[in-house]
Each structure stands twice: as structure tokens, then as C-alpha cells.
Amino acid sequence: MTDKSQALVYVVEDDAAVARLICATLERFGYRHAAFASGGEFLRELRVQVPDVAILDLGLPDMDGMEVLQQLRSRYRFGLLIATGRDDTHDRVMGLELGADDYVVKPFEPRELIARVRSILRRYQPEPAVDVQSPGVAHFAGWRFERGTHRLVSPEGVEDTLSLAESQLLIAFLERPNQILSREQLLAGRDVCALDRSIDLRVSRLRKRFEQGGHSGKFIKTVYGAGYLLAATVSWS
């Protein structure tokens, strides 16, 4: 994907009027799009063609949007924006933990929707080729993280693979250890998400990765009123 005119956006929305509004907005800003009124229809289409971004409503007629999210995240890798009328913290947390890239509550301004789509598209741009001489493995607090594969290895050698969003967040910490990083810095310019508290949820989710197996994620510290800090010595190889 090199420019927005090539990006394909799927709209999964059972309300025909809302689907038309979203599709019209996407078309106005130059995105290709297709709409689906049910989760089953959307999942079947994924076998034929995968989009660059999907905009997913949670209140679908045939299945809950969270179930759709679980199914697609276990099989596919593309950007996902939840756009729903559910303004509930539990749903927001669950959606992000299941792998959504962002969450917006209806009603929303068309330009805000486009800004969030653009933000997600930037995250899924192919990463530039890494110089073989540049460091790609970080060592910290007994852990090892491989930038190229997003693989996290515990002090005992247990391997786990982070999501793209988790990897980007961890890299931001590892590149500036023992420094207070604001939410905007951790979002790496994706200022749209700063409209809500999604970065706090992502930090919490990253901590949970380190807490598996009886470990502690306390070296990712909250600095109230300022941001977050990775309290560890980091070496690259």
C-alpha cells in the first residue's frame, strides 16, 4: 500500500443509512470501499480479498462484533477500527485487548473517522528495509525482543509474539529507556488516538505480556501527569 487511492476499506455495518454515510465519506476522500451488513458476510469475503482497514460495528444481526474480531485476528493481519454505539469502558477495553487498532463511538464526525483510518493505515505501511548492520535485538531486565519478528523472549526462554501495536509501543520504550515519554510520544505521531485513553489501555496490555509466567511488568512505570517510563537498562545487538 503506497497511497490512499490504493487502500481498500471494508465497512461492516447493519444500519444501511450509517453504512451509506461511511461509504460516501470514504469515497469523498479517495478510498476504495465495500460494505457488509452482517459478520458472516464479512468473514466470507475475507476468504476472497483482505482489506487494508475494516470499520466494524459491534451490534451485528447475526453475531456479536467481538466474536467477529476474535475470528479475524486469529487468521488475518490488517487494520481494524471499531465504530459502534456502545460507549462502555468494558467494550472499549475488550475490543483493544482482542486486537482492534482503535475505537470510536457513534455519532462521530466524518473527518474524525477519516483521520483514524489514516492513522491506522500508517501503522500498517511496510516497514523500511533495515540495514543488516543496525541493531535489531534488544536485551533488557532479562528479556529479549526481536524487532524484525516482534518476538518477545522471557528470561526462561519462553517465546511470545507481540501484535504490531504492542511492538511499536515497546520499541518506543526501548529506544528511549529511563526517559519519561508522553502519550503523544508513545503514539509516534498518531495524534488521533490521543483523543481518548487508548494509549493507557495499550500500556496495560503490554504490561500483561510481561506478567505472564509469574513475572512483573513494573519496570514500565506510570509517571502521573507526565506519561510513562521504562525503568531498565537496554542494550542492542
Side-chain angles (χ1 to χ4, degrees):
M1 174 172 48
T2 57
D3 61 60
K4 69 179 183 181
S5 65
Q6 296 177 326
L8 174 63
V9 182
Y10 282 173
V11 179
V12 190
E13 171 63 66
D14 66 318
D15 187 318
V18 174
R20 284 195 299 269
L21 174 62
I22 294 176
C23 288
T25 300
L26 292 168
E27 187 168 343
R28 187 163 69 250
F29 283 86
Y31 293 99
R32 295 183 295 134
H33 56 82
F36 306 92
S38 69
E41 185 182 353
F42 168 55
L43 292 172
R44 286 192 294 273
E45 181 62 24
L46 291 181
R47 301 171 191 167
V48 179
Q49 185 173 16
V50 175
D52 296 293
V53 175
I55 300 173
L56 175 67
D57 182 26
L58 295 182
L60 299 173
D62 58 337
M63 57 198 306
D64 187 81
M66 293 297 183
E67 182 183 349
V68 176
L69 178 55
Q70 284 181 304
Q71 290 194 36
L72 68 88
R73 271 308 186 227
S74 65
R75 305 173 189 174
Y76 305 100
R77 181 183 178 276
F78 55 81
L80 182 66
L81 169 62
I82 293 176
T84 181
R86 297 185 192 175
D87 187 13
D88 182 85
T89 300
H90 174 75
D91 285 328
R92 184 184 296 265
V93 171
M94 180 177 292
L96 293 171
E97 288 188 341
L98 288 176
D101 293 287
D102 204 352
Y103 190 112
V104 63
V105 177
K106 301 173 186 175
F108 45 78
E109 290 293 329
R111 285 188 174 275
E112 179 187 358
L113 182 75
I114 293 299
R116 290 177 182 269
V117 167
R118 285 174 174 166
S119 174
I120 292 172
L121 284 170
R122 285 196 296 270
R123 300 181 206 181
Y124 285 83
Q125 287 282 359
E127 295 183 4
V130 179
D131 187 335
V132 294
Q133 299 299 321
S134 64
V137 180
H139 304 267
F140 59 102
W143 293 78
R144 186 173 83 249
F145 175 72
E146 300 175 3
R147 186 199 296 262
T149 61
H150 300 177
R151 186 164 57 182
L152 181 68
V153 184
S154 75
E156 292 78 26
V158 178
E159 298 183 1
D160 193 8
T161 300
L162 303 187
S163 69
L164 177 64
E166 290 169 335
S167 295
Q168 290 174 331
L169 181 59
L170 180 56
I171 288 170
F173 280 123
L174 294 174
E175 289 181 339
R176 287 170 287 186
N178 298 301
Q179 296 182 39
I180 298 174
L181 302 179
S182 68
R183 291 178 173 82
E184 290 73 20
Q185 288 175 304
L186 290 172
L187 287 165
R190 298 187 292 275
D191 55 353
V192 173
C193 297
L195 295 172
D196 55 37
R197 309 293 289 186
S198 62
I199 188 62
D200 302 310
L201 298 174
R202 295 190 188 284
V203 171
S204 176
R205 190 168 66 188
L206 184 60
R207 281 189 178 126
K208 289 181 180 178
R209 291 285 196 174
F210 292 108
E211 291 168 357
Q212 296 177 12
H215 293 283
S216 171
K218 291 183 178 179
F219 48 78
I220 300 179
K221 297 185 177 296
T222 301
V223 183
Y224 293 98
Y228 296 94
L229 175 147
L230 176 69
T233 300
V234 179
S235 62
W236 290 87
S237 62

